[in-house]
PDB file of all heavy atoms in Angstrom:
ATOM      1  N   GLU B 172      28.594   6.839 -24.744  1.00 98.00           N
ATOM      2  CA  GLU B 172      29.288   8.124 -24.833  1.00 98.00           C
ATOM      3  C   GLU B 172      30.526   8.166 -23.948  1.00 98.00           C
ATOM      4  O   GLU B 172      31.485   8.874 -24.231  1.00 98.00           O
ATOM      5  CB  GLU B 172      28.337   9.262 -24.438  1.00 98.00           C
ATOM      6  CG  GLU B 172      27.449   9.697 -25.604  1.00 98.00           C
ATOM      7  CD  GLU B 172      26.198  10.423 -25.123  1.00 98.00           C
ATOM      8  OE1 GLU B 172      26.227  10.981 -24.000  1.00 98.00           O
ATOM      9  OE2 GLU B 172      25.193  10.417 -25.863  1.00 98.00           O
ATOM     10  N   LEU B 173      30.464   7.425 -22.866  1.00 98.00           N
ATOM     11  CA  LEU B 173      31.633   7.378 -21.988  1.00 98.00           C
ATOM     12  C   LEU B 173      32.755   6.540 -22.603  1.00 98.00           C
ATOM     13  O   LEU B 173      33.870   6.519 -22.099  1.00 98.00           O
ATOM     14  CB  LEU B 173      31.246   6.785 -20.627  1.00 98.00           C
ATOM     15  CG  LEU B 173      30.410   7.695 -19.718  1.00 98.00           C
ATOM     16  CD1 LEU B 173      29.890   6.910 -18.516  1.00 98.00           C
ATOM     17  CD2 LEU B 173      31.236   8.888 -19.242  1.00 98.00           C
ATOM     18  N   GLY B 174      32.433   5.842 -23.661  1.00 97.00           N
ATOM     19  CA  GLY B 174      33.452   5.067 -24.344  1.00 97.00           C
ATOM     20  C   GLY B 174      33.289   3.561 -24.219  1.00 97.00           C
ATOM     21  O   GLY B 174      34.111   2.790 -24.712  1.00 97.00           O
ATOM     22  N   HIS B 175      32.226   3.149 -23.571  1.00 98.00           N
ATOM     23  CA  HIS B 175      32.041   1.706 -23.394  1.00 98.00           C
ATOM     24  C   HIS B 175      31.550   1.048 -24.675  1.00 98.00           C
ATOM     25  O   HIS B 175      30.770   1.637 -25.422  1.00 98.00           O
ATOM     26  CB  HIS B 175      31.023   1.429 -22.276  1.00 98.00           C
ATOM     27  CG  HIS B 175      31.516   1.837 -20.932  1.00 98.00           C
ATOM     28  ND1 HIS B 175      32.320   1.046 -20.151  1.00 98.00           N
ATOM     29  CD2 HIS B 175      31.337   2.987 -20.235  1.00 98.00           C
ATOM     30  CE1 HIS B 175      32.595   1.674 -19.021  1.00 98.00           C
ATOM     31  NE2 HIS B 175      32.017   2.861 -19.040  1.00 98.00           N
ATOM     32  N   THR B 176      32.034  -0.159 -24.874  1.00 97.00           N
ATOM     33  CA  THR B 176      31.501  -0.943 -25.985  1.00 97.00           C
ATOM     34  C   THR B 176      31.109  -2.338 -25.509  1.00 97.00           C
ATOM     35  O   THR B 176      30.367  -3.046 -26.164  1.00 97.00           O
ATOM     36  CB  THR B 176      32.552  -1.099 -27.105  1.00 97.00           C
ATOM     37  OG1 THR B 176      33.752  -1.656 -26.533  1.00 97.00           O
ATOM     38  CG2 THR B 176      32.874   0.245 -27.740  1.00 97.00           C
ATOM     39  N   ALA B 177      31.605  -2.687 -24.327  1.00 97.00           N
ATOM     40  CA  ALA B 177      31.262  -3.996 -23.767  1.00 97.00           C
ATOM     41  C   ALA B 177      30.204  -3.766 -22.695  1.00 97.00           C
ATOM     42  O   ALA B 177      30.511  -3.588 -21.521  1.00 97.00           O
ATOM     43  CB  ALA B 177      32.494  -4.654 -23.171  1.00 97.00           C
ATOM     44  N   ILE B 178      28.961  -3.745 -23.142  1.00 98.00           N
ATOM     45  CA  ILE B 178      27.873  -3.344 -22.254  1.00 98.00           C
ATOM     46  C   ILE B 178      26.870  -4.470 -22.056  1.00 98.00           C
ATOM     47  O   ILE B 178      26.370  -5.046 -23.021  1.00 98.00           O
ATOM     48  CB  ILE B 178      27.134  -2.123 -22.826  1.00 98.00           C
ATOM     49  CG1 ILE B 178      28.143  -1.011 -23.143  1.00 98.00           C
ATOM     50  CG2 ILE B 178      26.078  -1.629 -21.850  1.00 98.00           C
ATOM     51  CD1 ILE B 178      27.527   0.225 -23.752  1.00 98.00           C
ATOM     52  N   ALA B 179      26.581  -4.747 -20.793  1.00 98.00           N
ATOM     53  CA  ALA B 179      25.597  -5.789 -20.477  1.00 98.00           C
ATOM     54  C   ALA B 179      24.287  -5.150 -20.033  1.00 98.00           C
ATOM     55  O   ALA B 179      24.237  -3.967 -19.708  1.00 98.00           O
ATOM     56  CB  ALA B 179      26.131  -6.699 -19.382  1.00 98.00           C
ATOM     57  N   HIS B 180      23.259  -5.967 -20.015  1.00 98.00           N
ATOM     58  CA  HIS B 180      21.940  -5.478 -19.593  1.00 98.00           C
ATOM     59  C   HIS B 180      21.325  -6.428 -18.572  1.00 98.00           C
ATOM     60  O   HIS B 180      21.221  -7.625 -18.804  1.00 98.00           O
ATOM     61  CB  HIS B 180      21.019  -5.357 -20.796  1.00 98.00           C
ATOM     62  CG  HIS B 180      19.622  -4.932 -20.466  1.00 98.00           C
ATOM     63  ND1 HIS B 180      19.337  -3.823 -19.698  1.00 98.00           N
ATOM     64  CD2 HIS B 180      18.423  -5.475 -20.784  1.00 98.00           C
ATOM     65  CE1 HIS B 180      18.020  -3.696 -19.566  1.00 98.00           C
ATOM     66  NE2 HIS B 180      17.444  -4.691 -20.211  1.00 98.00           N
ATOM     67  N   ILE B 181      20.953  -5.848 -17.444  1.00 98.00           N
ATOM     68  CA  ILE B 181      20.196  -6.622 -16.463  1.00 98.00           C
ATOM     69  C   ILE B 181      18.761  -6.145 -16.538  1.00 98.00           C
ATOM     70  O   ILE B 181      18.461  -5.009 -16.209  1.00 98.00           O
ATOM     71  CB  ILE B 181      20.728  -6.406 -15.036  1.00 98.00           C
ATOM     72  CG1 ILE B 181      22.195  -6.831 -14.955  1.00 98.00           C
ATOM     73  CG2 ILE B 181      19.887  -7.190 -14.027  1.00 98.00           C
ATOM     74  CD1 ILE B 181      22.807  -6.639 -13.577  1.00 98.00           C
ATOM     75  N   GLY B 182      17.903  -7.009 -17.015  1.00 94.00           N
ATOM     76  CA  GLY B 182      16.519  -6.577 -17.193  1.00 94.00           C
ATOM     77  C   GLY B 182      15.624  -7.644 -16.665  1.00 94.00           C
ATOM     78  O   GLY B 182      15.762  -8.075 -15.536  1.00 94.00           O
ATOM     79  N   GLY B 183      14.750  -8.104 -17.517  1.00 85.00           N
ATOM     80  CA  GLY B 183      14.016  -9.239 -17.057  1.00 85.00           C
ATOM     81  C   GLY B 183      12.578  -9.101 -17.306  1.00 85.00           C
ATOM     82  O   GLY B 183      12.073  -8.007 -17.365  1.00 85.00           O
ATOM     83  N   GLU B 184      12.022 -10.259 -17.496  1.00 75.00           N
ATOM     84  CA  GLU B 184      10.633 -10.386 -17.174  1.00 75.00           C
ATOM     85  C   GLU B 184      10.497  -9.862 -15.764  1.00 75.00           C
ATOM     86  O   GLU B 184      11.182 -10.314 -14.864  1.00 75.00           O
ATOM     87  CB  GLU B 184      10.226 -11.860 -17.138  1.00 75.00           C
ATOM     88  CG  GLU B 184      10.557 -12.614 -18.385  1.00 75.00           C
ATOM     89  CD  GLU B 184      11.501 -13.786 -18.124  1.00 75.00           C
ATOM     90  OE1 GLU B 184      11.348 -14.456 -17.098  1.00 75.00           O
ATOM     91  OE2 GLU B 184      12.393 -13.985 -18.968  1.00 75.00           O
ATOM     92  N   ASP B 185       9.639  -8.921 -15.577  1.00 57.00           N
ATOM     93  CA  ASP B 185       9.249  -8.599 -14.224  1.00 57.00           C
ATOM     94  C   ASP B 185       8.787  -9.912 -13.616  1.00 57.00           C
ATOM     95  O   ASP B 185       7.912 -10.570 -14.137  1.00 57.00           O
ATOM     96  CB  ASP B 185       8.103  -7.598 -14.256  1.00 57.00           C
ATOM     97  CG  ASP B 185       7.675  -7.216 -12.870  1.00 57.00           C
ATOM     98  OD1 ASP B 185       7.796  -8.051 -11.970  1.00 57.00           O
ATOM     99  OD2 ASP B 185       7.227  -6.084 -12.692  1.00 57.00           O
ATOM    100  N   GLU B 186       9.368 -10.290 -12.498  1.00 49.00           N
ATOM    101  CA  GLU B 186       9.098 -11.616 -11.972  1.00 49.00           C
ATOM    102  C   GLU B 186       7.650 -11.802 -11.574  1.00 49.00           C
ATOM    103  O   GLU B 186       7.139 -12.900 -11.459  1.00 49.00           O
ATOM    104  CB  GLU B 186      10.043 -11.931 -10.811  1.00 49.00           C
ATOM    105  CG  GLU B 186       9.396 -12.297  -9.511  1.00 49.00           C
ATOM    106  CD  GLU B 186       8.824 -11.055  -8.839  1.00 49.00           C
ATOM    107  OE1 GLU B 186       8.700  -9.993  -9.505  1.00 49.00           O
ATOM    108  OE2 GLU B 186       8.462 -11.144  -7.677  1.00 49.00           O
ATOM    109  N   SER B 187       6.970 -10.689 -11.386  1.00 54.00           N
ATOM    110  CA  SER B 187       5.568 -10.847 -11.043  1.00 54.00           C
ATOM    111  C   SER B 187       4.790 -11.300 -12.279  1.00 54.00           C
ATOM    112  O   SER B 187       3.621 -11.629 -12.188  1.00 54.00           O
ATOM    113  CB  SER B 187       4.995  -9.545 -10.492  1.00 54.00           C
ATOM    114  OG  SER B 187       5.092  -8.521 -11.441  1.00 54.00           O
ATOM    115  N   GLY B 188       5.445 -11.305 -13.396  1.00 52.00           N
ATOM    116  CA  GLY B 188       4.846 -11.879 -14.587  1.00 52.00           C
ATOM    117  C   GLY B 188       3.660 -11.103 -15.099  1.00 52.00           C
ATOM    118  O   GLY B 188       2.800 -11.627 -15.784  1.00 52.00           O
ATOM    119  N   LEU B 189       3.627  -9.839 -14.763  1.00 60.00           N
ATOM    120  CA  LEU B 189       2.373  -9.135 -14.958  1.00 60.00           C
ATOM    121  C   LEU B 189       2.371  -8.116 -16.075  1.00 60.00           C
ATOM    122  O   LEU B 189       1.364  -7.837 -16.665  1.00 60.00           O
ATOM    123  CB  LEU B 189       1.979  -8.486 -13.646  1.00 60.00           C
ATOM    124  CG  LEU B 189       1.638  -9.560 -12.629  1.00 60.00           C
ATOM    125  CD1 LEU B 189       1.672  -9.001 -11.234  1.00 60.00           C
ATOM    126  CD2 LEU B 189       0.292 -10.152 -12.929  1.00 60.00           C
ATOM    127  N   ASN B 190       3.503  -7.518 -16.294  1.00 64.00           N
ATOM    128  CA  ASN B 190       3.527  -6.617 -17.423  1.00 64.00           C
ATOM    129  C   ASN B 190       4.793  -6.785 -18.223  1.00 64.00           C
ATOM    130  O   ASN B 190       5.873  -6.457 -17.778  1.00 64.00           O
ATOM    131  CB  ASN B 190       3.401  -5.172 -16.984  1.00 64.00           C
ATOM    132  CG  ASN B 190       3.337  -4.260 -18.186  1.00 64.00           C
ATOM    133  OD1 ASN B 190       3.514  -4.697 -19.315  1.00 64.00           O
ATOM    134  ND2 ASN B 190       3.080  -3.010 -17.953  1.00 64.00           N
ATOM    135  N   ALA B 191       4.615  -7.273 -19.399  1.00 76.00           N
ATOM    136  CA  ALA B 191       5.768  -7.507 -20.247  1.00 76.00           C
ATOM    137  C   ALA B 191       6.306  -6.195 -20.803  1.00 76.00           C
ATOM    138  O   ALA B 191       7.473  -6.082 -21.142  1.00 76.00           O
ATOM    139  CB  ALA B 191       5.385  -8.434 -21.384  1.00 76.00           C
TER     140      ALA B 191
END
Side-chain angles (χ1 to χ4, degrees):
Chain B
E172 277 159 24
L173 287 170
H175 293 276
T176 55
I178 307 178
H180 177 51
I181 300 179
E184 306 120 39
D185 181 329
E186 124 285 14
S187 60
L189 293 162
N190 184 353

